[in-house]
C-alpha cells in the first residue's frame, strides 16, 4: 500500500501544515468573484442574478465555488446576500423574542463555548423561526444565492439546520477547531476512522453564517485560516497547542455588513472572534447544512415545518423566482427518499419513492389546499414507518 489506512497523532507535522496554508488566492484564479480579501474570495450577490439564471453560467459558478471550498481557500463570502435587509431586521426581532422567552422559561440555551450567561444561543433556530412566523421564514430562506452555495458543495436536497449566536461586547473568542462530523469526536475516536473517512467528512456538511448586523473587526467576526482544510491530518491536529498557536498568529478576519453571508468548509480551522467592540451585539444565524446523504446534527420536525410553511409559500410564490421557491422548499422539507419502509413505500415509476420536497412542489404547482397537502404528508409518513 502507498498510503496508511489510518491517521494517528504521530502523523501530524506543523511544518507540513505551514506549507499547506502558505498558499495564496488571487483575483486571476477566479472568474466570478468581485474581489479577494486576505485569501477570502468575495462575491457580489447582486451581480450573480443573471449568472444563476443561465444553466451554463450557473454550472460554471457552482464549479468555481466547489474549487474554492474544496481545493483552494476553503471559504467564500456573499456580499449583499440579502439586498433588502428589511427581512433581516424582521427575523432579528423574532430571534430576540425567542431568546427572551427561552431565558424566562429556563435561563436560555446553553452555549458550547462561552461562559454561562455571557452570550445567547438559539438551538434549532430554523424550526423555531418557521413556527413563530412562517411568512418571515419563507422570505428569509427563499434566497437563491445562498441556496446555490449550499447546492454547489452538497448537491440538491440538502438539509438545512441553523442556530443563532448572539455575542455581546466582551464575549470571548473560541479556540481553533474543525466542525461536524469528525470535528466533534475526540482524537481517540477520530483516529479509529480510516483515512478515507477523514476525506469524506468535510463533504457531508457546509458551515455558513448570515450577518444580522454590521460586523467590523472589533466585533469579532469568525477567525479563519484559509487552505487549512487541505491538511488531511487536521482532525487530529487542531487540538495540538502548536497548531493552535500557529492559528492565533496567522488567522484572518473579514468585515461583514448586515445581510452578508459567509460559507466555509467544515474542515477549515476557524473560531469565533472576541467581541471587543464598545456596543455591538454580534448576531449571526449560523447555518449548518448537511448533504442529503449525511446525518444532520439537529433533529428538525420537518413535517411541522412543511405544514406551517406551505400556506405562506403558496401565498408568496408569485413573488419568487423558481430558484427562490426551490430554496424555500429545500430549507423546509426533507428532500431525500431514504431511509424508508420499502414494503409500504416502494419506488413507483422510478428508483426512489417521493419525498416531502416533491410533495410540496407538486402541491404548489397544483394549487392544493393545506388540507390536501397535509393529508399527502401524513400518508407519506405512514408509508415510511417500519
Amino acid at each position: 500500500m502507498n498510503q496508511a489506512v489510518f491517521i494517528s497523532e504521530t502523523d501530524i507535522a506543523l511544518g507540513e501544515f505551514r506549507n499547506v496554508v502558505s498558499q495564496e488566492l488571487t483575483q486571476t484564479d477566479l472568474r466570478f468573484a468581485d474581489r479577494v480579501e486576505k485569501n477570502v474570495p468575495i462575491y457580489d450577490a447582486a451581480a450573480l442574478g443573471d449568472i444563476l439564471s443561465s444553466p451554463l453560467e450557473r454550472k460554471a459558478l457552482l464549479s468555481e465555488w466547489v474549487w474554492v471550498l474544496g481545493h483552494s481557500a476553503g471559504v467564500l463570502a456573499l456580499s449583499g446576500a440579502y439586498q433588502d435587509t428589511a427581512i433581516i431586521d424582521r427575523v432579528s426581532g423574532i430571534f430576540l423574542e425567542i431568546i427572551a422567552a427561552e431565558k424566562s422559561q429556563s435561563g436560555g440555551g446553553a452555549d458550547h463555548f462561552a461562559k454561562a450567561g455571557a452570550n445567547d444561543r438559539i438551538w434549532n433556530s430554523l424550526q423555531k423561526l418557521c413556527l413563530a412566523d412562517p411568512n418571515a421564514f419563507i422570505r428569509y430562506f427563499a434566497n437563491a444565492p445562498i441556496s446555490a452555495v449550499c447546492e454547489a458543495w452538497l448537491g440538491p436536497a440538502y438539509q438545512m439546520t441553523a442556530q443563532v449566536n448572539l455575542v455581546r461586547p466582551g464575549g470571548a473568542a473560541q479556540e481553533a477547531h474543525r466542525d461536524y462530523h469528525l470535528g466533534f469526536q475526540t482524537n481517540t475516536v477520530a483516529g479509529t476512522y480510516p483515512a478515507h473517512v477523514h476525506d469524506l467528512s468535510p463533504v457531508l456538511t457546509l458551515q455558513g453564517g448570515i450577518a444580522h448586523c454590521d460586523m467590523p473587526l472589533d466585533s469579532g467576526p469568525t477567525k479563519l485560516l484559509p487552505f487549512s482544510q487541505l491538511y488531511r491530518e487536521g482532525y487530529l491536529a487542531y487540538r495540538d497547542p502548536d497548531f493552535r498557536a500557529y492559528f492565533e498568529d496567522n488567522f484572518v478576519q473579514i468585515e461583514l455588513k448586515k445581510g452578508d453571508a459567509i460559507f466555509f468548509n467544515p474542515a477549515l480551522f476557524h473560531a469565533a472572534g472576541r467581541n471587543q467592540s464598545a456596543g455591538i451585539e454580534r448576531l449571526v444565524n449560523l447555518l449548518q447544512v448537511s448533504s442529503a446523504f449525511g446525518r444532520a446534527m439537529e433533529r428538525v420536525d420537518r413535517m411541522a415545518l412543511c405544514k406551517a410553511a406551505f400556506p405562506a409559500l403558496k401565498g408568496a410564490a408569485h413573488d419568487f423566482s423558481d430558484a427562490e421557491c426551490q430554496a424555500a422548499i429545500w430549507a423546509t422539507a426533507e428532500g431525500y427518499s431514504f431511509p424508508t419502509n420499502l414494503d409500504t413505500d416502494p419506488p413507483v415509476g422510478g428508483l426512489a419513492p417521493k419525498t416531502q420536497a416533491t410533495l410540496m412542489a407538486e402541491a404548489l404547482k397544483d394549487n392544493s389546499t393545506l388540507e390536501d397537502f397535509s393529508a399527502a404528508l401524513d400518508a407519506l409518513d405512514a408509508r415510511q414507518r417500519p
Side-chain angles (χ1 to χ4, degrees), residues 186-262:
T186 66
N187 278 17
T188 299
V189 172
T192 65
Y193 286 88
H196 71 271
V197 178
H198 288 244
D199 300 333
L200 172 66
S201 185
V203 300
L204 294 175
T205 313
L206 179 65
Q207 300 292 119
I210 299 170
H212 277 244
C213 64
D214 290 346
M215 293 167 49
L217 295 185
D218 65 352
S219 71
T222 302
K223 302 189 291 186
L224 309 158
L225 189 58
F227 300 100
S228 56
Q229 86 285 359
L230 298 174
Y231 186 63
R232 197 183 198 195
E233 296 80 9
Y235 287 109
L236 299 179
Y238 80 75
R239 294 184 180 92
D240 183 275
D242 292 337
F243 280 76
R244 282 188 160 162
Y246 183 87
F247 175 87
E248 291 301 325
D249 289 338
N250 294 276
F251 70 82
V252 301
Q253 293 171 292
I254 61 168
E255 294 186 354
L256 297 174
K257 297 291 187 182
K258 180 168 61 176
D260 290 350
I262 190 167

Side-chain angles (χ1 to χ4, degrees), residues 88 90-100 122 125-126 128-129 140 164 212 283-285:
I88 294 288
R90 179 175 172 184
V91 170
S92 293
I94 297 167
F95 286 154
L96 293 175
E97 290 175 358
I98 293 171
I99 288 171
I122 303 175
S125 61
L126 181 91
K128 291 171 183 176
L129 172 61
Y140 184 77
V164 166
H212 277 244
L283 181 62
V284 182
N285 196 19

Side-chain angles (χ1 to χ4, degrees), residues 136-211:
F137 171 86
I138 288 299
R139 295 189 178 277
Y140 184 77
F141 281 105
N143 187 297
I146 286 177
S147 179
V149 178
C150 298
E151 186 180 356
W153 188 240
L154 303 169
Y158 54 78
Q159 304 168 76
M160 180 67 72
T161 63
Q163 307 86 30
V164 166
N165 202 24
L166 174 60
V167 180
R168 295 185 173 82
Q174 288 177 311
E175 292 187 303
H177 63 279
R178 285 182 166 187
D179 267 323
Y180 193 71
H181 293 262
L182 281 180
F184 280 29
Q185 306 299 322
T186 66
N187 278 17
T188 299
V189 172
T192 65
Y193 286 88
H196 71 271
V197 178
H198 288 244
D199 300 333
L200 172 66
S201 185
V203 300
L204 294 175
T205 313
L206 179 65
Q207 300 292 119
I210 299 170

